[in-house]
Amino acid sequence: MLVDIIMPKMGESITEGTIIEWRKNVGDTVDKDEIFLEIGTDKVDSEIPSPAAGVLVEILAKPNDVIDVGKVIGRINTDVSAKSDAIITGVTASEKENIQEIKTPKVDIKKDPIVPKKKLDKPKRSFFTPVVMKIANENNITMNELESIKGSGRSGRVTKKDILFYLKSHGRPSEELNEIKMSDKVVEMEYMRKRIADRMRTSLDTAAHVYVMTEVDMTDIVNYVVENENSFFDKESFKLTYTPFIVNAVVKAINQFPLMNSSIEGNEIIHKKNINIGLAVSLDGGLMVPVIENCEEVNFLGLCRRVNDLSVRARSKKLQPDELQGSTFSISNFGVFNVTMGTPIINQPNVGILGVGAIKKQPVVIESDLGDTIGIRSQMILSLGFDHRLIDGAEGSKFIEKIRLEIENMELMDLF
């Protein structure tokens, strides 16, 4: 039986997806729930499990193809007898309909020697970038010749540099060779990095970025975490981190300065009803910003659980696209990489983003009624990026000062 593989619906607002990579070729066997395809949307890359066990007999969408949700992108044959046919012939299901059944001949082992079957070559690449095809056409390179070129790009893809080197090595120099340095390594930008690049450029072109910074005394919170980390882990099975303390302070500050929880659409200001905090999570080759929804309704323990859950699932690529949209304010914690201070780019359509630096012990002047003293305190620098089209310097400064006061004066004994 043939089973259709359809472009899955990755979220309520997602209407299409991009084929990133097929991990199986036509003729390969695949187990039920085995990861055999990677799909990207404008929100997240997802690994897709096979809906059935069998043989992949047809691929209808190439890498980089953008396909509407619900469209058929491939087919799996679950018939065991058809499985061997697919492996031997390497034909698609539509081609198999025109082939008559061939019965396996009887073999006398005593008379006929058993010859090991020659392994079949994997299907050749069928996708080439427009620039590669342009160079191939200009230099009269046939498709068979093009498919024979060893690619250095992702999944063996032929890059511009590969085809230019091929021309030179075969005595067919191209003027395009003068455009690159022979010692440079050229690789194709991966899908996630392309998406991040587009978003960052769009944000800079859209928002009037302004930054203010302040220093925060984290000593009491650091001591609290040290004293309670073991008991917290025993109860919750994950570590107590500083991020929920920051989120908690941001939510309280937004309640006093609601304009930071809005967005701009044309000449209109959209005041958001709920506080949805986006948390930047670093991944191999990029980042994601999963969203904690309705933070104003969540207590501190709930924040701890949601922060941990989203971080774990983001790094294991188990987030749904809907969990990466709808943020009203974002937080980027680059302090985990021991960075003291930074100026993060606003996550559109937010009008503000908080950058969290590393906590470091510093000598600090401590003021009291008895006079000034110098002590060792755990200090952290916060940086607030805001859109000056809507938020003025005074508003941004008051907002980050409110966050500082909430952190330094947090009632730690009443958190749980």
Side-chain angles (χ1 to χ4, degrees):
M1 180 179 72
L2 289 179
V3 175
D4 289 340
I5 306 164
I6 64 172
M7 175 62 73
K9 186 173 180 61
M10 306 299 293
E12 290 299 324
S13 62
I14 307 299
T15 59
E16 62 185 20
T18 301
I19 303 296
I20 297 178
E21 179 184 9
W22 286 94
R23 299 186 182 177
K24 295 286 185 176
N25 296 310
V26 171
D28 288 348
T29 58
V30 59
D31 296 327
K32 181 177 173 58
D33 295 328
E34 178 184 0
I35 301 299
F36 77 134
L37 172 65
E38 188 173 359
I39 290 173
T41 69
D42 63 342
K43 298 295 181 183
V44 65
D45 296 345
S46 300
E47 296 176 325
I48 307 301
S50 173
V55 176
L56 182 61
V57 294
E58 199 166 12
I59 292 177
L60 302 175
K62 307 185 301 293
N64 284 353
D65 282 354
V66 179
I67 308 297
D68 291 338
V69 167
K71 290 292 184 67
V72 177
I73 57 177
R75 291 187 175 90
I76 292 175
N77 195 331
T78 61
D79 189 348
V80 176
S81 63
K83 182 183 299 184
S84 59
D85 290 343
I87 294 176
I88 292 173
T89 64
V91 299
T92 64
S94 59
E95 293 171 329
K96 287 176 63 62
E97 294 176 356
N98 298 321
I99 300 177
Q100 296 181 350
E101 180 181 0
I102 302 175
K103 296 183 178 180
T104 305
K106 295 182 179 179
V107 178
D108 188 334
I109 297 178
K110 295 181 180 180
K111 296 181 179 179
D112 300 324
I114 298 177
V115 180
K117 292 182 179 178
K118 181 180 179 181
K119 292 184 178 179
L120 294 175
D121 294 332
K122 291 183 178 180
K124 295 181 179 180
R125 294 181 296 269
S126 58
F127 174 78
F128 298 95
T129 62
V131 66
V132 169
M133 290 301 299
K134 179 176 181 289
I135 296 173
N137 291 333
E138 290 175 349
N139 292 273
N140 298 319
I141 295 178
T142 65
M143 184 58 67
N144 287 337
E145 189 177 3
L146 188 58
E147 290 177 338
S148 69
I149 299 175
K150 184 178 180 181
S152 62
R154 186 179 181 186
S155 302
R157 187 174 298 170
V158 175
T159 67
K160 176 181 177 181
K161 184 177 180 180
D162 295 330
I163 190 171
L164 292 178
F165 284 169
Y166 176 83
L167 289 170
K168 181 181 179 182
S169 63
H170 286 71
R172 296 156 67 181
S174 170
E175 293 182 0
E176 302 247 2
L177 278 172
N178 297 324
E179 298 179 8
I180 62 172
K181 296 180 180 180
M182 303 303 288
S183 59
D184 290 346
K185 180 180 180 181
V186 180
V187 296
E188 183 180 358
M189 187 180 288
E190 293 187 358
Y191 181 81
M192 179 180 289
R193 179 51 55 189
K194 291 179 184 177
R195 194 170 66 244
I196 293 172
D198 290 341
R199 287 183 177 179
M200 295 302 98
R201 185 68 261 171
T202 298
S203 183
L204 288 174
D205 291 340
T206 301
H209 284 65
V210 177
Y211 294 91
V212 290
M213 291 85 175
T214 193
E215 197 168 23
V216 182
D217 189 340
M218 291 287 290
T219 305
D220 291 344
I221 291 178
V222 169
N223 293 337
Y224 180 86
V225 170
V226 171
E227 293 170 3
N228 294 275
E229 58 184 349
N230 291 332
S231 59
F232 183 87
F233 186 84
D234 290 341
K235 292 179 181 178
E236 298 294 329
S237 299
F238 62 88
K239 292 182 179 180
L240 178 61
T241 66
Y242 299 119
T243 301
F245 295 90
I246 307 299
V247 174
N248 188 46
V250 168
V251 172
K252 291 182 178 179
I254 287 176
N255 283 327
Q256 185 168 331
F257 297 91
L259 196 60
M260 292 298 303
N261 198 54
S262 58
S263 64
I264 301 174
E265 291 186 11
N267 293 320
E268 296 180 335
I269 302 171
I270 311 299
H271 296 274
K272 304 295 184 178
K273 176 183 177 182
N274 300 112
I275 302 174
N276 302 332
I277 301 296
L279 296 176
V281 178
S282 176
L283 307 174
D284 291 338
L287 61 85
M288 290 183 179
V289 187
V291 179
I292 306 176
E293 295 183 337
N294 306 334
C295 289
E296 73 281 2
E297 301 174 357
V298 184
N299 61 22
F300 185 78
L301 179 58
L303 287 178
C304 293
R305 290 171 175 170
R306 292 196 185 184
V307 167
N308 176 74
D309 172 62
L310 289 176
S311 299
V312 170
R313 290 194 293 117
R315 293 190 174 96
S316 59
K317 295 184 177 181
K318 293 182 179 179
L319 289 175
Q320 296 299 313
D322 287 343
E323 296 177 294
L324 295 168
Q325 57 189 358
S327 69
T328 58
F329 187 88
S330 299
I331 298 174
S332 178
N333 186 359
F334 35 75
V336 296
F337 304 107
N338 202 35
V339 175
T340 303
M341 183 177 66
T343 54
I345 296 175
I346 296 171
N347 182 32
Q348 293 297 321
N350 302 169
V351 295
I353 184 169
L354 187 73
V356 181
I359 300 173
K360 298 184 178 181
K361 290 185 177 181
Q362 303 285 349
V364 176
V365 175
I366 303 172
E367 299 178 0
S368 70
D369 295 336
L370 300 177
D372 296 343
T373 60
I374 295 178
I376 304 299
R377 308 292 288 179
S378 296
Q379 299 291 112
M380 175 183 71
I381 295 180
L382 294 179
S383 56
L384 175 68
F386 55 91
D387 190 343
H388 209 338
R389 294 179 303 163
L390 180 61
I391 309 297
D392 291 328
E395 184 84 359
S397 298
K398 292 176 183 178
F399 179 73
I400 196 172
E401 174 64 5
K402 177 61 176 176
I403 295 175
R404 182 188 71 82
L405 292 173
E406 288 292 341
I407 292 174
E408 293 184 350
N409 298 287
M410 196 171 293
E411 296 291 341
L412 299 175
M413 295 300 104
D414 298 331
L415 289 177
F416 297 106

